[in-house]
């Protein structure tokens, strides 16, 4: 068993706690190895954003994942890392590996014309280069990236211009990705890209170094059926960010809200079975973001300005989902409750209910 050490960059107290936890996890895994059952399942993990209210550093999130017997953790951004030097990142990798956890990493928007692109790490090339280094140190097989969000479809040149920027950026780092043995996984984020546009990006950037970071919740936001999205993109999927969803009709079009897995419209066994067929070793990484209703005003003429090529036939399956769905309420903190503590408890409950449902009904997870 490989363990981190104080010289790896982790604080001594955290090192001792993680090492003890890793040893216990390793022993438990050894005892389970001889028994059949969960080993063939789709791996199960979490996107660290699910527990955003805790503001935990990466080491604590890895420890939580070990407690939950998860197979993988996604850091879809760099803010959870207390530092970005190789010694610190390698320490995290060793702690995760000792608990049988794979790490995945993302870097956000790599499109300079996006409303969400940040220059915190320099130019697009600087950010992509950093992403490769961080992924290599963590042992991540992917560097997740994206354009941005729905607003980018209204930027000068429309989504086609942002796609061109993304393709140029990914082509410029093809050699680095090949040398590092990893892929750039493009996320469909906040309705920026529909499936047909994602396929164009992959084909233009090169499928050998470009894959998909699949988010069914965001597919719904772009007026798509998440199951059809998986069927069309599954063979390109290199990473995921999964949650359930509810959508229902409104006078303006539709409203949707993401839910804990098993509490929405997703046919969970069918979804997991399709993942097992199309991308069997890619972990199902949970990103629960509930209690936040969002509109899709497709009955308003102005809404179609950002989707000029989408036809009525392209949203038929989405409309069928709307007819199946129903309005769900938001949850408020009780009077007198600490809002921060309430949000932490709420987020943790959503995530852990989702994990339990997937283990029971997916089935997902390789640790019984």
């Amino acid at each position: 068993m490989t363990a981190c050490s104080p010289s790896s960059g982790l604080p001594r107290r955290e090192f001792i706690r993680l090492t003890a936890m890793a040893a216990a996890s390793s022993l438990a895994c050894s005892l389970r190895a001889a028994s059949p059952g969960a080993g063939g399942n789709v791996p199960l993990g979490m996107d660290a954003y699910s527990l955003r209210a805790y503001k935990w550093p990466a080491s604590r999130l890895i420890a939580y994942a070990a407690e939950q017997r998860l197979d993988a953790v996604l850091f879809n951004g760099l803010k959870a890392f207390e530092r970005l030097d190789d010694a610190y990142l390698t320490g995290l990798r060793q702690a995760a590996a000792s608990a049988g956890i794979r790490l995945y990493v993302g870097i956000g928007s790599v499109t300079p014309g996006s409303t969400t692109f940040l220059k915190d790490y320099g130019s697009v090339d600087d950010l992509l280069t950093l992403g490769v280094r961080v992924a290599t140190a963590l042992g991540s097989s992917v560097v997740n990236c994206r354009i941005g969000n729905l607003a980018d479809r209204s930027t000068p040149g429309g989504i086609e211009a942002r796609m061109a920027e993304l393709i140029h950026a990914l082509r410029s780092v093809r050699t680095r990705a090949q040398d590092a043995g990893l892929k750039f996984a493009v996320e469909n984020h906040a309705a920026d890209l529909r499936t047909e546009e994602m396929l164009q990006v992959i084909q233009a950037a090169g499928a050998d170094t470009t894959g998909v970071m699949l988010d069914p919740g965001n597919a719904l936001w772009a007026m798509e059926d998440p199951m059809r999205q998986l069927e069309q993109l599954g063979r390109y999927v290199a990473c995921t960010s999964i949650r359930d969803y509810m959508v229902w009709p409104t006078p303006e079009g539709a409203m949707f809200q993401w839910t804990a897995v098993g509490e929405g419209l997703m046919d969970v066994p069918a979804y997991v079975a399709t993942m097992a067929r199309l991308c069997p070793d890619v972990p199902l990484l949970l990103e629960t973001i509930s209690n936040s209703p969002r509109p899709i005003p497709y009955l308003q003429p102005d809404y179609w300005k950002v989707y000029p090529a989408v036809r009525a036939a392209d949203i038929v399956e989405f409309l069928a989902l709307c007819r199946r769905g129903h309005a769900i309420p938001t949850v408020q903190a009780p009077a007198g409750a600490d809002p921060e503590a309430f949000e932490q408890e709420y987020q943790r409950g959503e995530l852990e209910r989702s994990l339990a449902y997937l283990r029971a009904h997916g089935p997902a997870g390789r640790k019984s």
Side-chain angles (χ1 to χ4, degrees):
M1 179 180 66
T2 302
C4 60
S5 68
S7 62
S8 69
L10 293 175
R12 181 175 180 82
R13 180 178 299 174
E14 191 68 4
F15 156 67
I16 294 170
R17 189 171 66 81
L18 281 173
T19 301
M21 182 174 296
S25 176
S26 179
L27 175 60
C29 288
S30 298
L31 293 173
R32 290 192 297 265
S35 60
N41 291 351
V42 170
L44 181 61
M46 72 171 192
D47 183 325
Y49 191 69
S50 294
L51 298 177
R52 56 204 171 275
Y54 285 94
K55 301 177 183 177
W56 283 342
S59 57
R60 180 64 186 92
L61 289 160
I62 292 170
Y64 172 83
E67 293 164 5
Q68 296 296 317
R69 311 184 319 282
L70 300 183
D71 303 305
V73 175
L74 166 63
F75 299 103
N76 204 26
L78 302 177
K79 294 189 181 299
F81 302 123
E82 296 168 287
R83 305 197 310 276
L84 294 177
D85 58 90
D86 286 349
Y88 168 78
L89 296 170
T90 301
L92 293 176
R93 175 181 181 173
Q94 292 172 340
S98 295
I101 293 171
R102 284 187 280 170
L103 299 181
Y104 293 77
V105 69
I107 56 175
S109 174
V110 294
T111 309
S114 168
T115 59
T116 67
F117 178 70
L118 302 175
K119 296 182 178 179
D120 297 11
Y121 302 99
S123 67
V124 168
D125 188 71
D126 292 334
L127 180 57
L128 288 166
T129 300
L130 175 63
V132 170
R133 182 176 68 77
V134 171
T136 300
L138 290 173
S140 174
S141 59
V142 302
V143 176
N144 291 338
C145 58
R146 58 178 177 254
I147 290 178
N149 59 27
L150 179 62
D152 291 322
R153 302 188 70 91
S154 300
T155 52
I159 197 62
E160 292 81 6
R162 307 290 77 76
M163 289 167 62
E165 290 178 340
L166 176 61
I167 292 164
H168 174 77
L170 296 177
R171 281 176 171 170
S172 73
V173 291
R174 275 177 57 82
T175 300
R176 290 177 209 161
Q178 290 168 336
D179 291 345
L182 55 77
K183 281 192 174 186
F184 290 96
V186 179
E187 181 179 4
N188 59 302
H189 187 260
D192 59 355
L193 289 178
R194 285 175 53 90
T195 292
E196 62 271 17
E197 295 160 339
M198 181 69 78
L199 288 169
Q200 292 175 38
V201 169
I202 293 167
Q203 291 161 3
D208 58 332
T209 56
T210 304
V212 176
M213 195 282 213
L214 193 77
D215 188 322
N218 284 331
L220 187 77
W221 198 342
M223 297 182 293
E224 295 189 82
D225 178 348
M227 179 60 82
R228 179 56 61 92
Q229 176 209 33
L230 174 60
E231 291 169 347
Q232 292 178 309
L233 294 178
R235 66 193 181 101
Y236 299 110
V237 172
C239 193
T240 65
S241 189
I242 306 293
R243 54 195 172 277
D244 208 338
Y245 44 83
M246 181 62 70
V247 61
W248 61 92
T250 68
E252 294 76 28
M255 186 76 72
F256 76 97
Q257 209 177 158
W258 297 313
T259 74
V261 175
E263 298 176 11
L265 294 172
M266 178 183 281
D267 183 339
V268 174
Y271 197 91
V272 175
T274 305
M275 279 191 63
R277 175 170 54 87
L278 297 177
C279 46
D281 199 42
V282 176
L284 196 158
L285 294 157
L286 280 168
E287 184 191 24
T288 45
I289 312 175
S290 304
N291 217 30
S292 178
R294 302 160 197 248
I296 305 177
Y298 66 85
L299 292 177
Q300 303 300 310
D302 284 350
Y303 193 67
W304 292 99
K305 291 179 180 178
V306 298
Y307 290 112
V310 176
R311 306 165 302 161
D314 298 328
I315 66 168
V316 166
E317 292 166 319
F318 165 77
L319 295 176
L321 285 175
C322 291
R323 290 196 172 195
R324 287 175 48 204
H326 58 84
I328 55 176
T330 56
V331 179
Q332 304 296 325
D338 178 351
E340 183 177 10
F342 170 80
E343 188 61 25
Q344 290 174 344
E345 184 177 348
Y346 181 83
Q347 290 177 10
R348 187 163 182 162
E350 291 279 292
L351 175 60
E352 293 182 3
R353 288 202 314 280
S354 297
L355 292 171
Y357 192 92
L358 280 161
R359 284 192 166 108
H361 301 283
R366 294 183 174 177
K367 298 174 183 174
S368 57

